[in-house]
Amino acid sequence: MFQYEKKLQYPVNIKTPNALYAKIIASQYGGPDGELGASLRYLSQRFSMPYPELKGLLTDIGTEELGHLEMVGAIMYQLTRGLTDEEIKKIGFYDYFVDHTTGVYPASSAGVPYTAAGMQSKGDVLADLHEDLAAEQKARVTYDNILRLVDDPDVRDAIKFLRQREVVHYQRFGEGLRLATDKLNSKNFYAFNPSFDPKK
């Protein structure tokens, strides 16, 4: 069960709208390595996780990713509020604007709508945790790329916070992987299926 606190995990106060930055940052809302995919991945994987500590870890991080999704949505909204028709045309935001006006929509920076095809919930402890470690690194790289392209200090402040959380999540999943490997039967390390016989 979740409880919603009516404030962002970290404040977003952007003074200067910039549709180009909104378009760049859109990938962390609904792109292939964004916050929507992360939250769905972890909150789905937790159901088949056999260890309570790791089920709790996936629930905690998945819930936090929902908070990050909310932050990225707030960044996008604040970057597009009050844009004039001329600004929309000049920056090339018209392709997004035609379909969504300035509503926040889950798509990548290239305009590809969100799809769950890029995420995985395998039901295998090792496969899922390795997926999660890779996902956090891909999200961190996306935030690195955003920081290369964006110079607004208000935007950078929030993006740096989100980037740091990816690093922390990576560390927690690494700890989770160590816990899982300690608990798995080393003779049957890669096989969760009880009928698996490595001799066949």
Side-chain angles (χ1 to χ4, degrees):
M1 179 170 176
F2 304 117
Q3 289 184 339
Y4 179 64
E5 195 171 337
K6 295 184 179 181
K7 66 176 186 176
L8 295 176
Q9 184 181 5
Y10 187 85
V12 174
N13 297 303
I14 297 166
K15 299 175 202 70
T16 308
N18 185 319
L20 178 59
Y21 289 172
K23 197 170 182 178
I24 290 167
I25 289 165
S27 268
Q28 279 304 87
Y29 193 79
D33 304 311
E35 304 293 357
L36 178 58
S39 60
L40 291 175
R41 176 185 300 107
Y42 307 146
L43 292 175
S44 297
Q45 289 175 351
R46 69 190 172 126
F47 292 106
S48 59
M49 185 57 65
Y51 306 122
E53 307 95 316
L54 298 181
K55 190 182 294 274
L57 178 70
L58 288 164
T59 301
D60 290 347
I61 294 178
T63 304
E64 185 178 351
E65 300 289 14
L66 289 172
H68 295 172
L69 182 70
E70 185 179 35
M71 279 183 65
V72 175
I75 293 168
M76 289 180 62
Y77 175 74
Q78 289 182 27
L79 284 169
T80 58
R81 69 181 184 277
L83 290 172
T84 66
D85 292 346
E86 291 73 29
E87 289 170 319
I88 290 166
K89 291 176 191 172
K90 180 181 176 185
I91 294 173
F93 193 65
Y94 46 84
D95 48 354
Y96 183 98
F97 184 83
V98 165
D99 290 333
H100 311 294
T101 319
T102 56
V104 177
Y105 177 76
S108 71
S109 295
V112 178
Y114 175 76
T115 173
M119 56 162 273
Q120 187 56 270
S121 178
K122 200 72 171 171
D124 178 275
V125 173
L126 295 178
D128 282 347
L129 288 172
H130 280 283
E131 164 89 6
D132 302 342
L133 285 160
E136 293 298 328
Q137 286 301 310
K138 290 185 282 185
R140 191 256 319 149
V141 171
T142 304
Y143 281 127
D144 287 345
N145 292 340
I146 290 168
L147 289 168
R148 287 185 178 120
L149 300 172
V150 172
D151 59 9
D152 183 317
D154 295 333
V155 177
R156 289 178 62 84
D157 181 54
I159 295 298
K160 285 179 183 178
F161 170 82
L162 290 165
R163 181 199 180 279
Q164 182 57 34
R165 295 308 299 163
E166 304 299 344
V167 173
V168 171
H169 293 169
Y170 178 79
Q171 293 167 338
R172 296 297 83 81
F173 282 129
E175 293 164 3
L177 181 61
R178 177 168 295 188
L179 186 147
T181 54
D182 287 347
K183 287 178 178 269
L184 287 169
N185 179 347
S186 62
K187 293 180 181 176
N188 198 21
F189 198 68
Y190 290 105
F192 246 141
N193 184 344
S195 64
F196 177 78
D197 184 353
K199 295 176 185 174
K200 291 184 180 180

